[in-house]
Structures are given as C-alpha cells and as structure tokens.
PDB file of all heavy atoms in Angstrom:
ATOM      1  N   LYS A 256       0.945 -12.969   0.522  1.00 98.00           N
ATOM      2  CA  LYS A 256       1.407 -13.152   1.846  1.00 98.00           C
ATOM      3  C   LYS A 256       2.870 -13.681   1.722  1.00 98.00           C
ATOM      4  O   LYS A 256       3.187 -14.664   0.897  1.00 98.00           O
ATOM      5  CB  LYS A 256       0.565 -14.213   2.566  1.00 98.00           C
ATOM      6  CG  LYS A 256      -0.756 -13.570   3.038  1.00 98.00           C
ATOM      7  CD  LYS A 256      -1.594 -14.551   3.880  1.00 98.00           C
ATOM      8  CE  LYS A 256      -2.762 -13.942   4.435  1.00 98.00           C
ATOM      9  NZ  LYS A 256      -3.707 -14.886   5.191  1.00 98.00           N
ATOM     10  N   GLY A 257       3.736 -13.202   2.560  1.00 98.00           N
ATOM     11  CA  GLY A 257       5.069 -13.620   2.580  1.00 98.00           C
ATOM     12  C   GLY A 257       5.900 -12.868   1.656  1.00 98.00           C
ATOM     13  O   GLY A 257       7.211 -13.028   1.596  1.00 98.00           O
ATOM     14  N   ARG A 258       5.384 -12.115   0.674  1.00 98.00           N
ATOM     15  CA  ARG A 258       6.140 -11.466  -0.390  1.00 98.00           C
ATOM     16  C   ARG A 258       5.947  -9.980  -0.217  1.00 98.00           C
ATOM     17  O   ARG A 258       7.008  -9.181  -0.404  1.00 98.00           O
ATOM     18  CB  ARG A 258       5.779 -11.845  -1.711  1.00 98.00           C
ATOM     19  CG  ARG A 258       5.957 -13.290  -2.020  1.00 98.00           C
ATOM     20  CD  ARG A 258       5.633 -13.564  -3.531  1.00 98.00           C
ATOM     21  NE  ARG A 258       4.280 -13.281  -3.945  1.00 98.00           N
ATOM     22  CZ  ARG A 258       3.956 -12.450  -4.863  1.00 98.00           C
ATOM     23  NH1 ARG A 258       4.848 -11.793  -5.521  1.00 98.00           N
ATOM     24  NH2 ARG A 258       2.618 -12.305  -5.097  1.00 98.00           N
ATOM     25  N   PHE A 259       4.793  -9.485   0.201  1.00 98.00           N
ATOM     26  CA  PHE A 259       4.578  -8.059   0.344  1.00 98.00           C
ATOM     27  C   PHE A 259       4.409  -7.671   1.770  1.00 98.00           C
ATOM     28  O   PHE A 259       3.907  -8.457   2.597  1.00 98.00           O
ATOM     29  CB  PHE A 259       3.343  -7.710  -0.288  1.00 98.00           C
ATOM     30  CG  PHE A 259       3.264  -7.752  -1.979  1.00 98.00           C
ATOM     31  CD1 PHE A 259       4.264  -8.293  -2.515  1.00 98.00           C
ATOM     32  CD2 PHE A 259       2.259  -7.307  -2.672  1.00 98.00           C
ATOM     33  CE1 PHE A 259       4.378  -8.533  -4.007  1.00 98.00           C
ATOM     34  CE2 PHE A 259       2.228  -7.341  -4.028  1.00 98.00           C
ATOM     35  CZ  PHE A 259       3.284  -7.922  -4.704  1.00 98.00           C
ATOM     36  N   THR A 260       4.816  -6.343   2.121  1.00 98.00           N
ATOM     37  CA  THR A 260       4.662  -5.944   3.476  1.00 98.00           C
ATOM     38  C   THR A 260       4.172  -4.475   3.371  1.00 98.00           C
ATOM     39  O   THR A 260       4.735  -3.648   2.703  1.00 98.00           O
ATOM     40  CB  THR A 260       6.107  -5.958   4.186  1.00 98.00           C
ATOM     41  OG1 THR A 260       6.602  -7.230   4.181  1.00 98.00           O
ATOM     42  CG2 THR A 260       5.857  -5.485   5.630  1.00 98.00           C
ATOM     43  N   ILE A 261       3.110  -4.281   4.101  1.00 98.00           N
ATOM     44  CA  ILE A 261       2.570  -2.934   4.200  1.00 98.00           C
ATOM     45  C   ILE A 261       2.884  -2.318   5.505  1.00 98.00           C
ATOM     46  O   ILE A 261       3.087  -2.905   6.511  1.00 98.00           O
ATOM     47  CB  ILE A 261       1.046  -3.012   4.060  1.00 98.00           C
ATOM     48  CG1 ILE A 261       0.426  -1.526   3.962  1.00 98.00           C
ATOM     49  CG2 ILE A 261       0.350  -3.700   5.208  1.00 98.00           C
ATOM     50  CD1 ILE A 261      -1.022  -1.492   3.621  1.00 98.00           C
ATOM     51  N   SER A 262       3.187  -0.983   5.500  1.00 98.00           N
ATOM     52  CA  SER A 262       3.697  -0.286   6.609  1.00 98.00           C
ATOM     53  C   SER A 262       3.194   1.185   6.558  1.00 98.00           C
ATOM     54  O   SER A 262       2.681   1.617   5.415  1.00 98.00           O
ATOM     55  CB  SER A 262       5.040  -0.291   6.892  1.00 98.00           C
ATOM     56  OG  SER A 262       5.846   0.219   5.798  1.00 98.00           O
ATOM     57  N   ARG A 263       3.111   1.812   7.664  1.00 95.00           N
ATOM     58  CA  ARG A 263       2.770   3.268   7.564  1.00 95.00           C
ATOM     59  C   ARG A 263       3.630   4.183   8.591  1.00 95.00           C
ATOM     60  O   ARG A 263       4.137   3.611   9.591  1.00 95.00           O
ATOM     61  CB  ARG A 263       1.271   3.343   7.724  1.00 95.00           C
ATOM     62  CG  ARG A 263       0.837   3.041   9.270  1.00 95.00           C
ATOM     63  CD  ARG A 263      -0.747   2.960   9.516  1.00 95.00           C
ATOM     64  NE  ARG A 263      -1.208   4.182   9.391  1.00 95.00           N
ATOM     65  CZ  ARG A 263      -2.600   4.401   9.266  1.00 95.00           C
ATOM     66  NH1 ARG A 263      -3.425   3.448   9.242  1.00 95.00           N
ATOM     67  NH2 ARG A 263      -3.026   5.738   9.278  1.00 95.00           N
ATOM     68  N   ASP A 264       3.671   5.465   8.178  1.00 92.00           N
ATOM     69  CA  ASP A 264       4.365   6.222   9.010  1.00 92.00           C
ATOM     70  C   ASP A 264       3.357   7.472   9.146  1.00 92.00           C
ATOM     71  O   ASP A 264       3.235   8.304   8.338  1.00 92.00           O
ATOM     72  CB  ASP A 264       5.714   6.834   8.297  1.00 92.00           C
ATOM     73  CG  ASP A 264       6.486   7.832   9.261  1.00 92.00           C
ATOM     74  OD1 ASP A 264       5.952   8.483  10.072  1.00 92.00           O
ATOM     75  OD2 ASP A 264       7.621   7.865   9.002  1.00 92.00           O
ATOM     76  N   ASN A 265       2.689   7.447  10.392  1.00 87.00           N
ATOM     77  CA  ASN A 265       1.723   8.447  10.530  1.00 87.00           C
ATOM     78  C   ASN A 265       2.209   9.894  10.620  1.00 87.00           C
ATOM     79  O   ASN A 265       1.519  10.811  10.283  1.00 87.00           O
ATOM     80  CB  ASN A 265       0.888   8.092  11.863  1.00 87.00           C
ATOM     81  CG  ASN A 265       0.111   6.814  11.744  1.00 87.00           C
ATOM     82  OD1 ASN A 265      -0.369   6.471  10.681  1.00 87.00           O
ATOM     83  ND2 ASN A 265      -0.008   5.998  12.814  1.00 87.00           N
ATOM     84  N   ASP A 266       3.482  10.043  11.029  1.00 86.00           N
ATOM     85  CA  ASP A 266       4.070  11.408  11.142  1.00 86.00           C
ATOM     86  C   ASP A 266       4.217  11.997   9.741  1.00 86.00           C
ATOM     87  O   ASP A 266       4.274  13.167   9.627  1.00 86.00           O
ATOM     88  CB  ASP A 266       5.332  11.435  11.818  1.00 86.00           C
ATOM     89  CG  ASP A 266       5.236  11.094  13.367  1.00 86.00           C
ATOM     90  OD1 ASP A 266       4.220  11.323  13.912  1.00 86.00           O
ATOM     91  OD2 ASP A 266       6.164  10.616  14.000  1.00 86.00           O
ATOM     92  N   LYS A 267       4.448  11.034   8.769  1.00 88.00           N
ATOM     93  CA  LYS A 267       4.644  11.433   7.375  1.00 88.00           C
ATOM     94  C   LYS A 267       3.410  11.306   6.547  1.00 88.00           C
ATOM     95  O   LYS A 267       3.340  11.692   5.375  1.00 88.00           O
ATOM     96  CB  LYS A 267       5.786  10.753   6.830  1.00 88.00           C
ATOM     97  CG  LYS A 267       7.096  10.988   7.363  1.00 88.00           C
ATOM     98  CD  LYS A 267       8.241  10.209   6.661  1.00 88.00           C
ATOM     99  CE  LYS A 267       9.595  10.562   7.277  1.00 88.00           C
ATOM    100  NZ  LYS A 267      10.595   9.682   6.659  1.00 88.00           N
ATOM    101  N   ASN A 268       2.252  10.895   7.194  1.00 88.00           N
ATOM    102  CA  ASN A 268       1.006  10.662   6.407  1.00 88.00           C
ATOM    103  C   ASN A 268       1.294   9.734   5.179  1.00 88.00           C
ATOM    104  O   ASN A 268       0.752  10.147   4.124  1.00 88.00           O
ATOM    105  CB  ASN A 268       0.409  11.929   5.956  1.00 88.00           C
ATOM    106  CG  ASN A 268       0.115  12.817   7.194  1.00 88.00           C
ATOM    107  OD1 ASN A 268      -0.407  12.490   8.193  1.00 88.00           O
ATOM    108  ND2 ASN A 268       0.472  14.098   7.019  1.00 88.00           N
ATOM    109  N   THR A 269       2.102   8.752   5.392  1.00 93.00           N
ATOM    110  CA  THR A 269       2.501   7.835   4.222  1.00 93.00           C
ATOM    111  C   THR A 269       2.222   6.536   4.560  1.00 93.00           C
ATOM    112  O   THR A 269       2.507   5.951   5.657  1.00 93.00           O
ATOM    113  CB  THR A 269       4.038   8.097   3.986  1.00 93.00           C
ATOM    114  OG1 THR A 269       4.157   9.487   3.758  1.00 93.00           O
ATOM    115  CG2 THR A 269       4.362   7.311   2.808  1.00 93.00           C
ATOM    116  N   VAL A 270       1.795   5.615   3.592  1.00 96.00           N
ATOM    117  CA  VAL A 270       1.765   4.221   3.621  1.00 96.00           C
ATOM    118  C   VAL A 270       2.676   3.634   2.569  1.00 96.00           C
ATOM    119  O   VAL A 270       2.740   4.174   1.366  1.00 96.00           O
ATOM    120  CB  VAL A 270       0.306   3.764   3.487  1.00 96.00           C
ATOM    121  CG1 VAL A 270      -0.216   4.121   2.147  1.00 96.00           C
ATOM    122  CG2 VAL A 270       0.204   2.306   3.654  1.00 96.00           C
ATOM    123  N   TYR A 271       3.155   2.571   2.846  1.00 98.00           N
ATOM    124  CA  TYR A 271       4.186   2.016   1.976  1.00 98.00           C
ATOM    125  C   TYR A 271       3.778   0.394   1.664  1.00 98.00           C
ATOM    126  O   TYR A 271       3.149  -0.091   2.419  1.00 98.00           O
ATOM    127  CB  TYR A 271       5.592   1.807   2.478  1.00 98.00           C
ATOM    128  CG  TYR A 271       6.107   3.127   2.952  1.00 98.00           C
ATOM    129  CD1 TYR A 271       6.031   3.593   4.262  1.00 98.00           C
ATOM    130  CD2 TYR A 271       6.783   4.103   2.109  1.00 98.00           C
ATOM    131  CE1 TYR A 271       6.532   4.736   4.716  1.00 98.00           C
ATOM    132  CE2 TYR A 271       7.388   5.256   2.539  1.00 98.00           C
ATOM    133  CZ  TYR A 271       7.178   5.617   3.865  1.00 98.00           C
ATOM    134  OH  TYR A 271       7.681   6.910   4.222  1.00 98.00           O
ATOM    135  N   LEU A 272       4.280  -0.010   0.427  1.00 98.00           N
ATOM    136  CA  LEU A 272       4.060  -1.370   0.118  1.00 98.00           C
ATOM    137  C   LEU A 272       5.408  -1.797  -0.359  1.00 98.00           C
ATOM    138  O   LEU A 272       5.716  -1.415  -1.488  1.00 98.00           O
ATOM    139  CB  LEU A 272       2.917  -1.605  -0.911  1.00 98.00           C
ATOM    140  CG  LEU A 272       2.604  -3.031  -1.147  1.00 98.00           C
ATOM    141  CD1 LEU A 272       2.044  -3.790  -0.029  1.00 98.00           C
ATOM    142  CD2 LEU A 272       1.665  -3.154  -2.475  1.00 98.00           C
ATOM    143  N   GLN A 273       6.130  -2.694   0.278  1.00 98.00           N
ATOM    144  CA  GLN A 273       7.155  -3.340  -0.068  1.00 98.00           C
ATOM    145  C   GLN A 273       6.827  -4.653  -0.739  1.00 98.00           C
ATOM    146  O   GLN A 273       6.246  -5.471  -0.175  1.00 98.00           O
ATOM    147  CB  GLN A 273       8.157  -3.575   1.090  1.00 98.00           C
ATOM    148  CG  GLN A 273       9.457  -4.335   0.746  1.00 98.00           C
ATOM    149  CD  GLN A 273      10.357  -3.578   0.007  1.00 98.00           C
ATOM    150  OE1 GLN A 273      10.593  -2.322   0.265  1.00 98.00           O
ATOM    151  NE2 GLN A 273      10.966  -4.198  -1.163  1.00 98.00           N
ATOM    152  N   MET A 274       7.350  -4.736  -1.953  1.00 98.00           N
ATOM    153  CA  MET A 274       6.850  -5.816  -2.858  1.00 98.00           C
ATOM    154  C   MET A 274       8.229  -6.598  -3.320  1.00 98.00           C
ATOM    155  O   MET A 274       9.008  -6.094  -4.027  1.00 98.00           O
ATOM    156  CB  MET A 274       6.121  -5.460  -4.118  1.00 98.00           C
ATOM    157  CG  MET A 274       4.893  -4.564  -3.804  1.00 98.00           C
ATOM    158  SD  MET A 274       3.774  -4.239  -5.318  1.00 98.00           S
ATOM    159  CE  MET A 274       5.029  -3.176  -6.173  1.00 98.00           C
ATOM    160  N   ASN A 275       8.331  -7.795  -2.736  1.00 98.00           N
ATOM    161  CA  ASN A 275       9.454  -8.609  -3.071  1.00 98.00           C
ATOM    162  C   ASN A 275       9.005  -9.893  -3.888  1.00 98.00           C
ATOM    163  O   ASN A 275       7.851 -10.223  -3.953  1.00 98.00           O
ATOM    164  CB  ASN A 275      10.214  -9.092  -1.788  1.00 98.00           C
ATOM    165  CG  ASN A 275      10.664  -8.026  -0.980  1.00 98.00           C
ATOM    166  OD1 ASN A 275      11.095  -6.894  -1.425  1.00 98.00           O
ATOM    167  ND2 ASN A 275      10.660  -8.261   0.353  1.00 98.00           N
ATOM    168  N   SER A 276      10.104 -10.394  -4.521  1.00 98.00           N
ATOM    169  CA  SER A 276       9.832 -11.616  -5.240  1.00 98.00           C
ATOM    170  C   SER A 276       8.570 -11.396  -6.305  1.00 98.00           C
ATOM    171  O   SER A 276       7.651 -12.289  -6.406  1.00 98.00           O
ATOM    172  CB  SER A 276       9.520 -12.865  -4.378  1.00 98.00           C
ATOM    173  OG  SER A 276      10.591 -13.014  -3.463  1.00 98.00           O
ATOM    174  N   LEU A 277       8.638 -10.369  -7.012  1.00 98.00           N
ATOM    175  CA  LEU A 277       7.549 -10.062  -7.963  1.00 98.00           C
ATOM    176  C   LEU A 277       7.359 -11.088  -8.970  1.00 98.00           C
ATOM    177  O   LEU A 277       8.425 -11.609  -9.413  1.00 98.00           O
ATOM    178  CB  LEU A 277       7.759  -8.687  -8.467  1.00 98.00           C
ATOM    179  CG  LEU A 277       7.340  -7.505  -7.534  1.00 98.00           C
ATOM    180  CD1 LEU A 277       8.029  -6.165  -8.025  1.00 98.00           C
ATOM    181  CD2 LEU A 277       5.935  -7.419  -7.320  1.00 98.00           C
ATOM    182  N   ARG A 278       6.161 -11.276  -9.453  1.00 98.00           N
ATOM    183  CA  ARG A 278       5.886 -12.258 -10.405  1.00 98.00           C
ATOM    184  C   ARG A 278       4.977 -11.536 -11.552  1.00 98.00           C
ATOM    185  O   ARG A 278       4.292 -10.534 -11.291  1.00 98.00           O
ATOM    186  CB  ARG A 278       4.970 -13.354  -9.897  1.00 98.00           C
ATOM    187  CG  ARG A 278       5.484 -14.067  -8.671  1.00 98.00           C
ATOM    188  CD  ARG A 278       4.461 -14.893  -8.043  1.00 98.00           C
ATOM    189  NE  ARG A 278       4.960 -15.527  -6.854  1.00 98.00           N
ATOM    190  CZ  ARG A 278       4.355 -16.165  -5.948  1.00 98.00           C
ATOM    191  NH1 ARG A 278       2.854 -16.204  -6.017  1.00 98.00           N
ATOM    192  NH2 ARG A 278       4.875 -16.737  -4.877  1.00 98.00           N
ATOM    193  N   PRO A 279       4.954 -12.042 -12.747  1.00 98.00           N
ATOM    194  CA  PRO A 279       4.220 -11.369 -13.939  1.00 98.00           C
ATOM    195  C   PRO A 279       2.805 -11.271 -13.495  1.00 98.00           C
ATOM    196  O   PRO A 279       2.125 -10.267 -13.894  1.00 98.00           O
ATOM    197  CB  PRO A 279       4.385 -12.400 -14.955  1.00 98.00           C
ATOM    198  CG  PRO A 279       5.675 -12.954 -14.737  1.00 98.00           C
ATOM    199  CD  PRO A 279       5.816 -13.188 -13.247  1.00 98.00           C
ATOM    200  N   GLU A 280       2.114 -12.075 -12.671  1.00 97.00           N
ATOM    201  CA  GLU A 280       0.823 -11.975 -12.289  1.00 97.00           C
ATOM    202  C   GLU A 280       0.586 -10.778 -11.300  1.00 97.00           C
ATOM    203  O   GLU A 280      -0.595 -10.589 -10.967  1.00 97.00           O
ATOM    204  CB  GLU A 280       0.255 -13.179 -11.627  1.00 97.00           C
ATOM    205  CG  GLU A 280       1.116 -13.848 -10.550  1.00 97.00           C
ATOM    206  CD  GLU A 280       2.054 -14.931 -11.054  1.00 97.00           C
ATOM    207  OE1 GLU A 280       2.668 -14.752 -12.163  1.00 97.00           O
ATOM    208  OE2 GLU A 280       2.186 -15.985 -10.340  1.00 97.00           O
ATOM    209  N   ASP A 281       1.582 -10.313 -10.735  1.00 98.00           N
ATOM    210  CA  ASP A 281       1.473  -9.061  -9.991  1.00 98.00           C
ATOM    211  C   ASP A 281       1.196  -7.774 -10.849  1.00 98.00           C
ATOM    212  O   ASP A 281       1.038  -6.784 -10.286  1.00 98.00           O
ATOM    213  CB  ASP A 281       2.711  -8.790  -9.045  1.00 98.00           C
ATOM    214  CG  ASP A 281       2.872  -9.919  -7.979  1.00 98.00           C
ATOM    215  OD1 ASP A 281       1.773 -10.257  -7.425  1.00 98.00           O
ATOM    216  OD2 ASP A 281       4.027 -10.459  -7.823  1.00 98.00           O
ATOM    217  N   THR A 282       1.334  -7.998 -12.174  1.00 98.00           N
ATOM    218  CA  THR A 282       1.177  -6.705 -12.961  1.00 98.00           C
ATOM    219  C   THR A 282      -0.082  -6.091 -12.917  1.00 98.00           C
ATOM    220  O   THR A 282      -1.129  -6.822 -13.106  1.00 98.00           O
ATOM    221  CB  THR A 282       1.502  -7.153 -14.508  1.00 98.00           C
ATOM    222  OG1 THR A 282       2.883  -7.510 -14.664  1.00 98.00           O
ATOM    223  CG2 THR A 282       1.275  -6.009 -15.402  1.00 98.00           C
ATOM    224  N   ALA A 283      -0.203  -4.857 -12.627  1.00 98.00           N
ATOM    225  CA  ALA A 283      -1.455  -4.337 -12.477  1.00 98.00           C
ATOM    226  C   ALA A 283      -1.232  -2.774 -12.118  1.00 98.00           C
ATOM    227  O   ALA A 283      -0.111  -2.266 -11.871  1.00 98.00           O
ATOM    228  CB  ALA A 283      -2.289  -4.918 -11.185  1.00 98.00           C
ATOM    229  N   VAL A 284      -2.384  -2.041 -12.165  1.00 98.00           N
ATOM    230  CA  VAL A 284      -2.292  -0.563 -11.579  1.00 98.00           C
ATOM    231  C   VAL A 284      -2.619  -0.706 -10.188  1.00 98.00           C
ATOM    232  O   VAL A 284      -3.650  -1.303  -9.754  1.00 98.00           O
ATOM    233  CB  VAL A 284      -3.329   0.283 -12.313  1.00 98.00           C
ATOM    234  CG1 VAL A 284      -3.352   1.613 -11.738  1.00 98.00           C
ATOM    235  CG2 VAL A 284      -3.010   0.356 -13.889  1.00 98.00           C
ATOM    236  N   TYR A 285      -1.724  -0.267  -9.414  1.00 98.00           N
ATOM    237  CA  TYR A 285      -1.877  -0.202  -7.897  1.00 98.00           C
ATOM    238  C   TYR A 285      -2.377   1.110  -7.424  1.00 98.00           C
ATOM    239  O   TYR A 285      -1.855   2.066  -7.763  1.00 98.00           O
ATOM    240  CB  TYR A 285      -0.501  -0.531  -7.275  1.00 98.00           C
ATOM    241  CG  TYR A 285      -0.082  -2.048  -7.325  1.00 98.00           C
ATOM    242  CD1 TYR A 285       0.257  -2.489  -8.579  1.00 98.00           C
ATOM    243  CD2 TYR A 285      -0.140  -2.868  -6.229  1.00 98.00           C
ATOM    244  CE1 TYR A 285       0.620  -3.877  -8.741  1.00 98.00           C
ATOM    245  CE2 TYR A 285       0.210  -4.073  -6.263  1.00 98.00           C
ATOM    246  CZ  TYR A 285       0.561  -4.737  -7.688  1.00 98.00           C
ATOM    247  OH  TYR A 285       0.944  -5.969  -7.716  1.00 98.00           O
ATOM    248  N   TYR A 286      -3.444   1.015  -6.592  1.00 98.00           N
ATOM    249  CA  TYR A 286      -4.133   2.143  -6.127  1.00 98.00           C
ATOM    250  C   TYR A 286      -4.027   2.261  -4.544  1.00 98.00           C
ATOM    251  O   TYR A 286      -4.107   1.276  -3.884  1.00 98.00           O
ATOM    252  CB  TYR A 286      -5.633   2.216  -6.438  1.00 98.00           C
ATOM    253  CG  TYR A 286      -5.895   2.259  -7.855  1.00 98.00           C
ATOM    254  CD1 TYR A 286      -6.064   1.036  -8.651  1.00 98.00           C
ATOM    255  CD2 TYR A 286      -6.094   3.444  -8.496  1.00 98.00           C
ATOM    256  CE1 TYR A 286      -6.251   1.079  -9.991  1.00 98.00           C
ATOM    257  CE2 TYR A 286      -6.326   3.432  -9.984  1.00 98.00           C
ATOM    258  CZ  TYR A 286      -6.428   2.223 -10.572  1.00 98.00           C
ATOM    259  OH  TYR A 286      -6.733   2.295 -11.923  1.00 98.00           O
ATOM    260  N   CYS A 287      -3.792   3.379  -4.008  1.00 97.00           N
ATOM    261  CA  CYS A 287      -3.695   3.702  -2.635  1.00 97.00           C
ATOM    262  C   CYS A 287      -5.016   4.100  -2.144  1.00 97.00           C
ATOM    263  O   CYS A 287      -5.775   5.006  -3.007  1.00 97.00           O
ATOM    264  CB  CYS A 287      -2.686   4.817  -2.339  1.00 97.00           C
ATOM    265  SG  CYS A 287      -2.592   5.298  -0.614  1.00 97.00           S
ATOM    266  N   ALA A 288      -5.514   3.704  -1.054  1.00 97.00           N
ATOM    267  CA  ALA A 288      -6.670   4.242  -0.451  1.00 97.00           C
ATOM    268  C   ALA A 288      -6.699   4.447   0.925  1.00 97.00           C
ATOM    269  O   ALA A 288      -5.724   3.817   1.631  1.00 97.00           O
ATOM    270  CB  ALA A 288      -7.844   3.113  -0.706  1.00 97.00           C
ATOM    271  N   ALA A 289      -7.412   5.363   1.455  1.00 95.00           N
ATOM    272  CA  ALA A 289      -7.404   5.661   2.743  1.00 95.00           C
ATOM    273  C   ALA A 289      -8.817   6.370   3.342  1.00 95.00           C
ATOM    274  O   ALA A 289      -9.441   6.788   2.620  1.00 95.00           O
ATOM    275  CB  ALA A 289      -6.264   6.672   3.101  1.00 95.00           C
ATOM    276  N   SER A 290      -9.039   6.110   4.552  1.00 94.00           N
ATOM    277  CA  SER A 290     -10.177   6.695   5.163  1.00 94.00           C
ATOM    278  C   SER A 290      -9.782   7.839   6.085  1.00 94.00           C
ATOM    279  O   SER A 290      -8.808   7.855   6.741  1.00 94.00           O
ATOM    280  CB  SER A 290     -10.851   5.650   6.073  1.00 94.00           C
ATOM    281  OG  SER A 290     -10.192   5.159   6.938  1.00 94.00           O
ATOM    282  N   PHE A 291     -10.727   8.890   6.077  1.00 90.00           N
ATOM    283  CA  PHE A 291     -10.461  10.060   6.793  1.00 90.00           C
ATOM    284  C   PHE A 291     -11.772  10.720   7.148  1.00 90.00           C
ATOM    285  O   PHE A 291     -12.545  11.024   6.075  1.00 90.00           O
ATOM    286  CB  PHE A 291      -9.415  10.977   6.182  1.00 90.00           C
ATOM    287  CG  PHE A 291      -9.278  12.246   6.910  1.00 90.00           C
ATOM    288  CD1 PHE A 291      -8.579  12.243   8.202  1.00 90.00           C
ATOM    289  CD2 PHE A 291      -9.605  13.476   6.496  1.00 90.00           C
ATOM    290  CE1 PHE A 291      -8.439  13.505   8.843  1.00 90.00           C
ATOM    291  CE2 PHE A 291      -9.377  14.670   7.022  1.00 90.00           C
ATOM    292  CZ  PHE A 291      -8.720  14.595   8.321  1.00 90.00           C
ATOM    293  N   ARG A 292     -12.109  10.949   8.306  1.00 87.00           N
ATOM    294  CA  ARG A 292     -13.409  11.577   8.672  1.00 87.00           C
ATOM    295  C   ARG A 292     -14.610  10.950   7.890  1.00 87.00           C
ATOM    296  O   ARG A 292     -15.383  11.612   7.236  1.00 87.00           O
ATOM    297  CB  ARG A 292     -13.397  13.135   8.397  1.00 87.00           C
ATOM    298  CG  ARG A 292     -12.282  13.745   9.382  1.00 87.00           C
ATOM    299  CD  ARG A 292     -12.269  15.262   8.970  1.00 87.00           C
ATOM    300  NE  ARG A 292     -11.392  15.994  10.076  1.00 87.00           N
ATOM    301  CZ  ARG A 292     -11.327  17.212  10.038  1.00 87.00           C
ATOM    302  NH1 ARG A 292     -11.908  18.047   9.137  1.00 87.00           N
ATOM    303  NH2 ARG A 292     -10.481  17.785  10.981  1.00 87.00           N
ATOM    304  N   SER A 293     -14.747   9.700   7.925  1.00 89.00           N
ATOM    305  CA  SER A 293     -15.824   8.904   7.513  1.00 89.00           C
ATOM    306  C   SER A 293     -15.888   8.905   5.949  1.00 89.00           C
ATOM    307  O   SER A 293     -16.821   8.584   5.365  1.00 89.00           O
ATOM    308  CB  SER A 293     -17.190   9.426   7.990  1.00 89.00           C
ATOM    309  OG  SER A 293     -17.171   9.289   9.448  1.00 89.00           O
ATOM    310  N   SER A 294     -14.848   9.329   5.260  1.00 91.00           N
ATOM    311  CA  SER A 294     -14.842   9.401   3.773  1.00 91.00           C
ATOM    312  C   SER A 294     -13.588   8.603   3.174  1.00 91.00           C
ATOM    313  O   SER A 294     -12.597   8.374   4.088  1.00 91.00           O
ATOM    314  CB  SER A 294     -14.621  10.883   3.315  1.00 91.00           C
ATOM    315  OG  SER A 294     -15.821  11.550   3.538  1.00 91.00           O
ATOM    316  N   ASN A 295     -13.791   7.948   2.143  1.00 93.00           N
ATOM    317  CA  ASN A 295     -12.788   7.307   1.483  1.00 93.00           C
ATOM    318  C   ASN A 295     -12.168   7.989   0.433  1.00 93.00           C
ATOM    319  O   ASN A 295     -12.760   8.605  -0.383  1.00 93.00           O
ATOM    320  CB  ASN A 295     -13.401   5.837   0.988  1.00 93.00           C
ATOM    321  CG  ASN A 295     -13.753   5.003   2.104  1.00 93.00           C
ATOM    322  OD1 ASN A 295     -13.191   4.810   3.236  1.00 93.00           O
ATOM    323  ND2 ASN A 295     -15.038   4.275   1.864  1.00 93.00           N
ATOM    324  N   TYR A 296     -10.785   7.794   0.303  1.00 94.00           N
ATOM    325  CA  TYR A 296     -10.033   8.563  -0.690  1.00 94.00           C
ATOM    326  C   TYR A 296      -9.210   7.656  -1.437  1.00 94.00           C
ATOM    327  O   TYR A 296      -8.781   6.594  -0.949  1.00 94.00           O
ATOM    328  CB  TYR A 296      -9.210   9.632  -0.114  1.00 94.00           C
ATOM    329  CG  TYR A 296     -10.038  10.701   0.761  1.00 94.00           C
ATOM    330  CD1 TYR A 296     -10.381  10.568   1.998  1.00 94.00           C
ATOM    331  CD2 TYR A 296     -10.366  11.878   0.018  1.00 94.00           C
ATOM    332  CE1 TYR A 296     -11.056  11.464   2.659  1.00 94.00           C
ATOM    333  CE2 TYR A 296     -11.171  12.757   0.730  1.00 94.00           C
ATOM    334  CZ  TYR A 296     -11.429  12.748   2.022  1.00 94.00           C
ATOM    335  OH  TYR A 296     -12.248  13.661   2.743  1.00 94.00           O
TER     336      TYR A 296
END
C-alpha cells in the first residue's frame, strides 16, 4: 500500500501494476490472474 498501483484498461483487455519504491522483499515471480465467464485464468 502506498507503493504499488493497480489499474486496468478494459478497451485493451489489459491490467497494469505500477511498482514504485521497490524493495528486495518484493523479489518474486509475479502472476496475472483474471476471471472470465466463471473461470479463472
């Protein structure tokens, strides 16, 4: 909170994650997830 911002552009079918002030503890594999027609992707 206060460092990351999530946003989406429905016209582009895209979601973004702006990550500021990154720290070593943020190191990870980041996965995108979405729901569509009662299914998770």
Side-chain angles (χ1 to χ4, degrees):
K256 285 183 178 179
R258 300 188 297 122
F259 292 9
T260 302
I261 188 170
S262 61
R263 63 191 291 170
D264 186 335
N265 292 330
D266 291 337
K267 297 180 179 179
N268 302 313
T269 302
V270 62
Y271 306 94
L272 186 67
Q273 178 67 44
M274 305 184 293
N275 297 328
S276 302
L277 284 163
R278 307 165 180 168
E280 51 263 43
D281 295 318
T282 295
V284 177
Y285 284 71
Y286 298 90
C287 176
S290 63
F291 179 66
R292 293 184 175 179
S293 301
S294 297
N295 296 320
Y296 298 87

